[in-house]
Amino acid sequence: MSNAVASPFLLACRRQPTSVTPIWLMRQAGRYMPEYRAMRARHRFLELCKNPQAAAEVTLQPVERLGVDAAILFADILLVLEPLGVGLEFVEGEGPRIHRPLRSAADVAALPTVDVGEAVGAVFETVKLARKALAERVPLIGFAGAPFTLASYLIEGGPSREFLLTKRFMRAERRAWEALMSRLSIIVGEYLNGQIAAGAQAVQLFDSWVGTLSPSDYREFVQPWSRESIRRLTPGTPVIHFGVGTAGLLPSMKEAGGDVLGLDWRVELGPAWDRLGHDIAVQGNLDPAVLLSNVGAIRRATQSILDGAKGRPGHIFNLGHGVHQETPVENVKALVDIVHELSSR
Ligand code: 1CP
């Protein structure tokens, strides 16, 4: 048996006992890391994502530097939107832009059909190369944005605080919203299944911005399509379902599907897990800002999360959201070591 199959990360996804609590970090490859910045000095972000050799190298950087228990594919949730012809750009120092956002039912109707395999073939190639380079050291996680989070970028045209255009569209253009969410659930399914076929051993569905919705709006306007995305996935690969600010949505997200539910730091892990039921694994949930402080503070905050999990099988340690760019690498490395030390059983 390969060690990847017996890896603490994959065992925890399936709620099986492990000798230590596995840890990986959202945005573990990224600008806080000097190796990543060196790579970015040579490639623009989108170019890097489409260069399988370079992207696979970035995927492995945190495994080598930090000793995390899983690698996550280096790519982006928005890549899959590019073939829709909406004008995707990553503006240096700013973030993603969609130059031709969707503002009407006609805009949705005019979207071209896309062959996902053809459009993001480079990402699938990165998965193959990264999996080969990892050589059973740790498992490789693939990922995609969930339909709501992708739709919010398509409609807003970029990052948003209030998601007012998206919330207006949901209700005012209900038919078009359903058509868009249905299209996106198919695209997400194909994108993740392509990554699984290429060698991803688990996948994370990022519904990062869904916490902006009320629980009833989540159930009415989002849940059916998140469920549909997950239903389409090749069986047997663990699915992590994640969002930010989801305290009020967690039971409905659990219903939509996934083997592991991602928690952010606005909930206490122990009570949140008790409320959800222990028939689902949980991932989280250190406030990424804690990593800006010092090793003593990191140790205390880590102990408190591990205490909440009570050593129960099915806890994957992570941050509640991605590593901040300003984070000292040595603090991230300290966190990985502290989790392994304090959870050793
Ligand atoms: O300048 C740079 O180098 C680009 C910064 C960057 C990076 C490192 C972007 C632009 N994307 C990424 C990589 C990335 N994105 C990964 C790689 C794997 C890893 O975690 O190490 C992953 C999983 C993502 C996923 C992603 N992209 C999400 C979901 C996760 C989250 O943070 O909530 C979202 C919302 C995006 C969109 C996006 N891409 C990039 C940025 C800065 C953003 C967020 C913009 C916003 O705030 O709306």
Side-chain angles (χ1 to χ4, degrees):
M1 189 169 62
S2 70
N3 8 333
V5 175
S7 88
F9 168 74
L10 288 175
L11 288 169
C13 286
R14 302 188 160 101
R15 288 181 289 116
Q16 288 168 5
T18 53
S19 53
V20 289
T21 299
I23 171 171
W24 70 278
L25 306 162
M26 290 183 273
R27 289 280 163 96
Q28 64 188 16
R31 285 173 293 187
Y32 77 98
M33 218 184 240
E35 300 92 308
Y36 175 77
R37 290 197 299 271
M39 195 61 116
R40 280 282 277 110
R42 286 181 276 128
H43 306 269
R44 295 172 62 86
F45 178 68
L46 207 45
E47 255 170 52
L48 184 51
C49 291
K50 291 179 183 175
N51 178 334
Q53 199 69 50
E57 201 179 305
V58 173
T59 301
L60 264 76
Q61 285 172 350
V63 175
E64 272 144 23
R65 168 75 89 123
L66 307 170
V68 284
D69 297 298
I72 181 160
L73 163 70
F74 186 81
D76 197 83
I77 64 165
L78 302 178
L79 296 178
V80 84
L81 303 181
E82 200 179 27
L84 293 174
V86 289
L88 171 69
E89 188 193 357
F90 287 89
V91 183
E92 290 297 323
E94 274 187 48
R97 281 278 164 276
I98 300 281
H99 289 292
R100 291 177 290 284
L102 307 179
R103 294 289 158 78
S104 67
D107 291 343
V108 173
L111 289 174
T113 46
V114 294
D115 179 335
V116 170
E118 205 169 289
V120 292
V123 172
F124 300 159
E125 190 56 31
T126 304
V127 172
K128 282 188 196 147
L129 293 180
R131 180 73 196 273
K132 193 159 170 239
L134 284 166
E136 309 297 334
R137 265 184 287 175
V138 294
L140 177 62
I141 305 170
F143 70 93
F148 174 81
T149 291
L150 293 176
S152 80
Y153 282 100
L154 286 170
I155 294 169
E156 305 288 337
S160 174
R161 281 179 79 83
E162 304 282 0
F163 299 92
L164 296 181
L165 294 168
T166 308
K167 291 181 185 185
R168 188 202 70 84
F169 199 104
M170 255 164 42
R171 289 195 159 77
E173 303 287 354
R174 186 162 184 137
R175 284 267 157 280
W177 172 259
E178 290 177 355
L180 176 62
M181 292 293 275
S182 170
R183 289 279 312 268
L184 290 171
S185 64
I186 294 167
I187 291 175
V188 167
E190 289 177 0
Y191 189 34
L192 289 177
N193 283 338
Q195 294 176 33
I196 293 168
Q201 291 147 291
V203 291
Q204 177 153 325
L205 190 64
F206 281 96
D207 212 350
S208 299
W209 311 135
V210 78
T212 189
L213 296 179
S214 71
S216 63
D217 281 356
Y218 176 80
R219 286 192 295 270
E220 182 171 352
F221 295 103
V222 176
Q223 195 192 45
W225 293 280
S226 291
R227 181 184 280 128
E228 179 60 14
S229 309
I230 295 170
R231 191 192 66 76
R232 287 176 168 273
L233 301 183
T234 310
T237 307
V239 177
I240 307 166
H241 190 178
F242 167 80
V244 181
T246 55
L249 305 182
L250 291 171
S252 304
M253 289 177 71
K254 180 187 176 190
E255 276 174 30
D259 303 278
V260 183
L261 208 51
L263 307 176
D264 85 358
W265 63 94
R266 295 168 186 88
V267 296
E268 262 189 297
L269 188 135
W273 201 359
D274 291 343
R275 279 196 302 278
L276 280 165
H278 302 123
D279 57 344
I280 189 162
V282 292
Q283 175 174 280
N285 67 341
L286 184 71
D287 182 344
V290 173
L291 292 178
L292 303 174
S293 60
N294 57 63
V295 173
I298 293 168
R299 200 177 175 87
R300 279 193 302 282
T302 299
Q303 184 69 66
S304 145
I305 291 169
L306 291 171
D307 288 348
K310 301 194 181 79
R312 192 181 283 123
H315 175 220
I316 298 161
F317 202 101
N318 204 314
L319 305 177
H321 201 185
V323 181
H324 292 294
Q325 191 182 337
E326 303 78 1
T327 308
V329 185
E330 57 277 17
N331 285 357
V332 185
K333 170 76 180 127
L335 171 66
V336 173
D337 293 344
I338 288 167
V339 169
H340 286 155
E341 178 203 326
L342 296 180
S343 70
S344 172
R345 312 182 249 275

